Amino acid sequence: MAKWLDDAVFYEIYPQSFKDTNSDGIGDFNGIREKLDHIKELGCNAVWMNPCFESPFGDAGYDVSDYYKTAPRYGTNDELKRLMDEIHVRGMHILLDLVPGHTSIEHRWFRESMKAEDNAYTDRYVWTDSIWETPEGPGALRGISDRDGSCLASFFSHQPALNYGYYRPEKPWQQAMDAPGPRATVAELKKIMRFWLTMGCDGFRVDMAHSLVKGDEDGRGTIELWKEIRAFLDEEFPEAVMVSEWGEPDKALAGGFHMDFLLHFGPSHYNDLFRCEEPYFSGRGKGDVSEFVRRYRENYEKTAGKGLICIPSGNHDMARLARTIHGDELKVAFAFLLSMPGAPFIYYGDEIGMRYVEGLTSVEGGYDRTGSRSPMQWDGSVNAGFSLAGEEKLYIPLDPAPDRPTVAGQTADPDSLYHEVRELIALRQAHPALKNRGGIEFICAEKNAYPFVYLRSAEEERILVILNPSHRPASFACGYPLTAGLRTFGGEITVKDGTAAVPGGFYGFYRV
Ligand code: GLC
Ligand code: CA
């Protein structure tokens, strides 16, 4: 089943900001098609593309108004098909972004659902039975139609929650998961998935996958629901790959997902690594990796053999890596990201160290996420090669820094982050121990200490990974001779009397 996932290395494309080919200032499918070779040459063999469906773009497309139609600004359904075909021609795969939890208020279903008279969409969303009763949750849509009720919001207050029922209905308006309304929502979800899988996508990244069934604190109802979806896929599209935005891998994998993201929210301590006051991967060397490792190990043990945990370089919801770490620190960070189990995800532009653009006004519901969504920087030509539109027409302003990194610039520089990332991916792909399903054992991950050391293994192969992001030298008790270095950066290690002295700003891979 979906063997390709065993050595998938993903690249996340934010379609608005990748490459514009018709000079309207917004990226499009044809632009992505033009730039597929960049992704391929980097060594990525899979793509996750953020939502590209019809939408009023109050949340950058996570507010869908027609699940069966691409947003005209990106191109037609046919153009998306062509893009998917070209991805496949290159031996690559693509996941589309499925937003099952909510729609836009402009969706036809919601317009119908707002009506006072009963109709086929009355129960498509979660409504109370009186305008004076507000459902418990992230917010509510109230007083905007003749229907006497409040509708539960799912994320922003313009994203009404689709109705998958309540795990244990308590109020008269709370429907059971097997009531006709929730069943109709599930049937429609399958139809949507069938539509895009038939057209050629290889699976989905699922938005807020944990959130579908309400009043379901420990996720049991939502897990049930996803199991039903997996059973449907096994029947009709057994190769379809499912990756969840859930943040609790044991639950996600129980629901039949192949892989779950560790997220910048939730209990993973992912933020300790790159996105906090003293990130572990900063040269200041004041960070802590031990809590992250403790949680990771728990998750890993719970999910071992069942599926994958993914640690992304970033995504469209969090600050870019290069906001908090810089220069060679990024290289050591990528040595980590590209040597962990689970498929790596590289957020577009992170491979060249694109920066978070400070001080931008929110674009399409981005708020502070907007600075991580600026146009891809291809080269030194007008608008960094992103678009030929006037600068004022660009979807989001470009990074104004005169020394902003570009793909062309970094391709020409053998010491660039781009080349480092490329080499690290190639190393991963050349060694089963480093690939997605290889095992991991943590050797050294002490509280507030450096280095960070782990052993990756598969079959006969064992590779020791040593990371010292701190600028200060560090040491650890090492039972291995470290003679077979596969790749090192930032100096050399010396081992004496069982102690390995590791230079500052170093990473190394050793066959042991
Ligand atoms: C997810 C998306 C985010 C979106 C939200 C609501 O977290 O990644 O961009 O705003 O869900 O759909
Ligand atoms: Ca365009």
Side-chain angles (χ1 to χ4, degrees), residues 38 203 229 263 397:
H38 165 68
I229 299 286
L263 295 168

Side-chain angles (χ1 to χ4, degrees), residues 12-315:
E12 178 187 345
I13 296 178
Y14 194 67
Q16 297 80 324
S17 298
F18 204 55
K19 169 75 188 175
D20 171 27
T21 53
N22 64 348
S23 306
D24 63 355
I26 303 183
D28 40 58
F29 295 142
N30 291 335
I32 297 170
R33 208 155 44 77
E34 242 177 56
K35 294 297 188 183
L36 285 177
D37 287 335
H38 165 68
I39 300 171
K40 171 117 187 162
E41 275 159 30
L42 186 63
C44 293
N45 52 17
V47 165
W48 155 31
M49 182 164 66
N50 293 99
C52 57
F53 311 105
E54 198 184 84
S55 165
F57 292 101
D59 184 12
Y62 283 95
D63 46 336
V64 177
S65 57
D66 186 341
Y67 285 98
Y68 298 96
K69 196 168 163 286
T70 58
R73 72 189 202 181
Y74 300 133
T76 61
N77 281 16
D78 283 345
E79 280 164 329
L80 174 57
K81 166 131 186 28
R82 195 162 162 215
L83 169 62
M84 299 199 286
D85 289 346
E86 293 243 353
I87 285 176
H88 294 142
V89 163
R90 287 170 174 74
M92 299 162 68
H93 293 87
I94 175 167
L95 303 185
L96 295 180
D97 205 320
L98 182 67
V99 190
H102 47 261
T103 69
S104 151
I105 33 177
E106 291 185 18
H107 199 294
R108 186 176 57 87
W109 304 340
F110 191 64
R111 290 178 190 279
E112 290 298 311
S113 198
M114 283 199 295
K115 290 182 179 162
E117 314 78 53
D118 275 4
N119 60 60
Y121 300 98
T122 299
D123 294 331
R124 180 54 53 94
Y125 298 84
V126 179
W127 288 88
T128 66
D129 53 10
S130 153
I131 188 74
W132 310 120
E133 181 166 2
T134 310
E136 230 177 86
L141 294 87
R142 299 179 63 240
I144 55 170
S145 77
D146 297 335
R147 178 168 178 168
D148 186 10
S150 312
C151 183
L152 177 67
S154 165
F155 189 69
F156 287 147
S157 48
H158 57 72
Q159 288 161 318
L162 284 161
N163 182 19
Y164 294 92
Y166 278 73
Y167 189 56
R168 280 202 189 85
E170 283 163 3
K171 310 236 165 100
W173 52 267
Q174 296 182 341
Q175 304 185 349
M177 289 173 66
D178 60 1
R183 292 312 302 161
T185 312
V186 174
E188 190 73 40
L189 181 61
K190 291 180 186 168
K191 210 172 128 196
I192 294 163
M193 296 173 80
R194 185 183 290 121
F195 182 83
W196 296 109
L197 287 164
T198 304
M199 188 180 287
C201 85
D202 298 290
F204 301 94
R205 172 271 187 185
V206 179
D207 186 65
M208 293 175 65
H210 56 89
S211 72
L212 302 193
V213 176
K214 307 304 175 197
D216 183 30
E217 276 76 50
D218 53 14
R220 281 185 210 181
T222 304
I223 291 171
E224 275 315 299
L225 193 152
W226 286 116
K227 275 165 100 170
E228 177 187 340
I229 299 286
R230 186 66 244 175
F232 141 74
L233 290 173
D234 284 344
E235 188 120 315
E236 295 188 26
F237 304 95
E239 293 293 309
V241 163
M242 297 287 282
V243 178
S244 54
E245 184 193 40
W246 194 313
E248 291 178 278
D250 53 329
K251 293 182 183 168
L253 300 190
F257 283 93
H258 295 95
M259 178 155 64
D260 186 32
F261 284 106
L262 291 189
L263 295 168
H264 55 297
F265 54 85
S268 71
H269 284 271
Y270 169 72
N271 282 347
D272 299 4
L273 306 175
F274 314 113
R275 295 174 181 83
C276 63
E277 213 174 296
E278 289 296 349
Y280 187 73
F281 281 91
S282 154
R284 286 190 298 277
K286 294 187 184 153
D288 178 44
V289 79
S290 66
E291 291 294 311
F292 167 81
V293 168
R294 188 175 59 77
R295 293 297 311 210
Y296 185 90
R297 206 188 253 139
E298 278 170 26
N299 279 320
Y300 186 78
E301 277 159 16
K302 280 195 248 175
T303 55
K306 291 189 213 124
L308 303 168
I309 307 172
C310 159
I311 312 169
S313 74
N315 70 24

Side-chain angles (χ1 to χ4, degrees), residues 408-468:
Q410 295 215 353
T411 313
D413 171 7
D415 292 329
S416 65
L417 181 63
Y418 168 82
H419 283 292
E420 200 74 36
V421 170
R422 198 162 170 257
E423 296 285 320
L424 284 163
I425 295 176
L427 181 73
R428 179 185 184 92
Q429 300 299 54
H431 294 278
L434 294 175
K435 285 191 184 182
N436 303 358
R437 293 193 195 278
I440 186 163
E441 189 190 321
F442 293 97
I443 307 290
C444 187
E446 301 299 314
K447 182 107 197 130
N448 292 111
Y450 295 76
F452 178 27
V453 184
Y454 45 88
L455 187 67
R456 298 290 319 276
S457 58
E459 294 137 38
E460 299 299 285
E461 189 180 41
R462 295 195 311 163
I463 294 176
L464 193 69
V465 183
I466 303 172
L467 306 163
N468 183 17

